[in-house]
Amino acid sequence: MTKAAEPPIAAKPLFSYRKHWAHRFGVAPFLPMSRAEMEALGWDSCDVILVTGDAYIDHPSFGMAIIGRLLEAQGFRVGIVAQPDWRDASAFRALGKPNLFFGVTSGNMDSMVNRYTSDRRLRHNDSYTPGGEGGKRPDRSVIVYAQRCREAFPEAPIVLGGIEASLRRIAHYDYWSDKLRRSILFDAKADLLLYGNAERALVEVAHRIAKRGVAQDFADVRGVAFSRDATPEGWIEASAEDLDAADEGRIRKDAQSKNIVIRLPAFEQVSSDPESYARASRVLHRESNPGNARPLTQRHGTRDIWLTAPPIPLTTPEMDSVYDLPFARAPHPSYADAKIPAWEMIRHSVTIMRGCFGGCSFCSITEHEGRIIQSRSEDSILKEIETIRDKTEGFTGVISDIGGPTANMYRMACKDRETEALCRRPACVYPDICKNLDTSHDALIQLYRKARALPGVKKVMVASGVRYDLAVKSPAYVRELVEHHVGGYLKIAPEHTESGPLAKMMKPGIGSYDRFKRLFDAAAQAAKKQYFLIPYFIAAHPGTSDEDMMNLALWLKKNGYRADQVQTYLPSPMALSTAMYHSGFNPLKPVRRGASEPVEAVKGLRQRRLHKAFLRYHDAENWPILREALKAMGRADLIGPGKHHLVPGWQPAGTGKAGEGRRTGQTGARPQSREFRTNGLRSRGS
């Protein structure tokens, strides 16, 4: 168990740096958002100014709060510019010029996912804004904010971070414009980009800039992207550009100990050749393990983007120290009594771990947080629950969630650290659970029991997604979950029933769901409770046929499920599924000219609507399109009044004529409801 707290490679401890001289000013009650607050703290300037698309909530569930408090702990004076008016540079001058740099992020969510549905329709709400009001951040917020920072203070360095920058660190397919875009570092004209969980890189970069400015070499700092003219002397390039070659950038055995950088297909190449894009995606994901990953470089015109190897995960003591920083655990006072939906949802929840080794091809977690689980200690988690109990307004004794990207990966790790450091598998649980993975739930069960035994705590809920193929390995965990931590229903995500789509998603077969359901139902019956599973599914994922969706709909009807909220696949930047969607090839398999595995993508609006309609087969508005499709598929036998039929042959008066709304950019676009998710892109741990 203790091995899960050890990094695969030694790293400088996060809190071992000599503090910057400004630490003498002490801890701010809230990081300042105005000159008046700065003056009250005795500051004449900020060392770092963080610009974010979210409202400023000083709580460890919000990235800017963690980054700001971490920099403060290093001795830097940190100011916040939250949701600024981006139409001119005035708001970006509010705190003056930063002594070191602007730190720019879109916030906890990707700005494009935040503003648009999977069918590119405009949303009119924003969970990270006071009152849930939409329109408080621009499209592609990181680029726009960086441009305004440059206008405000042309000499100030700009450092990008957060999920929007992280997932656009190389040339990437942009679903909203339906084209390839350059690395966001170039479009934002920034100096540096920090990707992934950036605490280590942030602290190192901040101290280096404080000493020598931004014009220096950061090639030895993990988790950093910057531009270069060319590969410097002393490095060996392993090329992944040639699609006629099968090695995909692999290195000769006699060169393993050298300074090696892998050259990805250039921006111009991936822009004109979708198969090259699939190759670049495959290589990038293969080079994601901090134990063996090598730097990557990609040409953009006359410049290279250079990505150093992924960051070393935080140790358990480092995670504890980060979450023990002096957060006010509340929204900034300037918001007064305005309700911020994201805050209302997480104010009584606790994050116990980061990362996910599930590797789902549509998900952003592994690409951003990595697949090595970083867990907090039991004492740290229990201390935070006590803090919530004692200091958070409105606490009624219920912890709303104790989890993370996945509810039940706490303290799970490879049994052998050397094996882990050598592994290049994209997932530890697909196609089967790796024999080297320690799947014990004992530590999590013990944590649950201690959490609910704390005085003043009535209930500890598990709202994060449960990875059910892991849970079936521990019937004791399922019993514990059902008896004490479920509130009527539990949401899990099998995503599909058919083997074709599941293979492209890297998800287990529906048999794993059936086994979990049997354990869940038995535990609920033993506890004399009436609990239900709510399964989630994805429509229109690459590799999904109309017949696959029909079979899923038949499964839903057979099992009595009527989905109210359904998810149509959204191609998020840099995901493996996005490479399938854009290129038509499968990057989960070798990519080589003439030998790549093709993948059919569901792109047309009508077919995407049909796939979504199959998930809502019970909705009369969908019956006309379903009847038409079933007839075209030669399955008119599924139309009729019987239980074995999927849709009836008759139509209720006044139904079946609802349109799909207006597309983005058209006047009168109607608001779309959505389920709130705390992750930056649509991503589930189950």
Side-chain angles (χ1 to χ4, degrees), residues 299-317:
R299 199 71 174 169
H300 288 63
T302 60
R303 301 281 289 174
D304 283 343
I305 185 79
W306 185 285
L307 273 65
T308 64
I312 303 301
L314 298 185
T315 65
T316 292

Side-chain angles (χ1 to χ4, degrees), residues 71-84:
L71 286 170
E72 180 187 60
Q74 300 292 325
F76 300 106
R77 293 166 293 177
V78 183
I80 300 281
V81 175
Q83 297 191 318

Side-chain angles (χ1 to χ4, degrees), residues 626-653:
L626 290 176
R627 282 194 291 264
E628 181 183 348
L630 290 171
K631 291 175 183 177
M633 296 165 66
R635 293 306 309 269
D637 59 300
L638 293 176
I639 303 171
K643 290 184 178 181
H644 64 285
H645 294 120
L646 185 62
V647 294
W650 59 278
Q651 191 70 34

Side-chain angles (χ1 to χ4, degrees), residues 256-270:
Q256 292 292 336
S257 61
K258 310 285 182 157
N259 287 333
I260 297 164
V261 61
I262 298 178
R263 180 163 291 282
L264 299 175
F267 168 69
E268 292 76 13
Q269 182 177 345
V270 298

Side-chain angles (χ1 to χ4, degrees), residues 131-358:
E133 183 181 357
K136 291 296 184 180
R137 72 184 84 207
D139 288 359
R140 301 184 176 87
S141 295
V142 168
I143 296 174
V144 176
Y145 289 159
Q147 290 171 344
R148 297 296 90 78
C149 288
R150 190 68 78 196
E151 290 176 22
F153 298 103
E155 318 84 27
I158 296 173
V159 179
L160 311 181
I163 194 161
E164 182 166 315
S166 185
L167 299 186
R168 291 167 169 79
R169 57 190 183 261
I170 64 169
H172 56 279
Y173 173 71
D174 182 81
Y175 171 65
W176 298 272
S177 60
D178 192 25
K179 68 178 184 180
L180 268 292
R181 293 183 67 97
R182 302 187 301 170
S183 165
I184 197 171
L185 184 77
F186 290 118
D187 284 346
K189 297 179 173 61
D191 296 278
L192 292 172
L193 183 155
L194 309 184
Y195 71 87
N197 288 323
E199 285 96 343
R200 288 200 194 282
L202 175 75
V203 170
E204 178 68 23
V205 164
H207 282 288
R208 287 196 186 188
I209 292 177
K211 292 177 181 178
R212 299 186 296 276
V214 77
Q216 56 180 292
D217 190 0
F218 292 94
D220 60 331
V221 182
R222 284 173 166 262
V224 174
F226 52 89
S227 66
R228 272 185 160 157
D229 290 329
T231 299
E233 291 185 12
W235 286 83
I236 296 174
E237 280 195 11
S239 176
E241 295 178 294
D242 183 4
L243 265 70
D244 291 319
D247 62 11
E248 298 179 325
R250 297 187 185 276
I251 308 301
R252 303 187 315 270
K253 289 184 177 180
D254 61 351
Q256 292 292 336
S257 61
K258 310 285 182 157
N259 287 333
I260 297 164
V261 61
I262 298 178
R263 180 163 291 282
L264 299 175
F267 168 69
E268 292 76 13
Q269 182 177 345
V270 298
S271 296
S272 60
D273 179 14
E275 199 166 5
S276 291
Y277 184 85
R279 164 71 72 86
S281 178
R282 175 172 171 79
V283 174
L284 176 107
H285 286 84
R286 196 183 68 214
E287 299 296 326
S288 62
N289 182 352
N292 58 37
R294 293 153 298 191
L296 304 173
T297 189
Q298 185 180 50
R299 199 71 174 169
H300 288 63
T302 60
R303 301 281 289 174
D304 283 343
I305 185 79
W306 185 285
L307 273 65
T308 64
I312 303 301
L314 298 185
T315 65
T316 292
E318 288 173 325
M319 283 275 286
D320 290 352
S321 295
V322 167
Y323 282 85
D324 195 38
L325 291 168
F327 300 100
R329 305 187 73 84
H332 189 272
S334 63
Y335 303 124
D337 296 327
K339 300 290 186 183
I340 304 174
W343 163 243
E344 298 300 323
M345 184 175 187
I346 62 86
R347 65 195 305 177
H348 301 137
S349 68
V350 181
T351 298
I352 64 175
M353 47 76 68
R354 291 180 183 173
C356 180
F357 49 69

Side-chain angles (χ1 to χ4, degrees), residues 173 277 281 285 359-363 367 501 503-506 538 540-543 569-588 599-601:
Y173 173 71
Y277 184 85
S281 178
H285 286 84
C360 301
S361 61
F362 54 81
C363 181
E367 293 162 335
K504 302 301 185 294
M505 298 176 185
M506 289 204 296
I538 296 179
H541 188 277
Y569 168 69
L570 189 159
S572 59
M574 220 173 74
L576 286 161
S577 293
T578 302
M580 299 179 200
Y581 178 91
H582 169 65
S583 72
F585 297 102
N586 184 6
L588 299 174
V599 177
E600 289 293 326

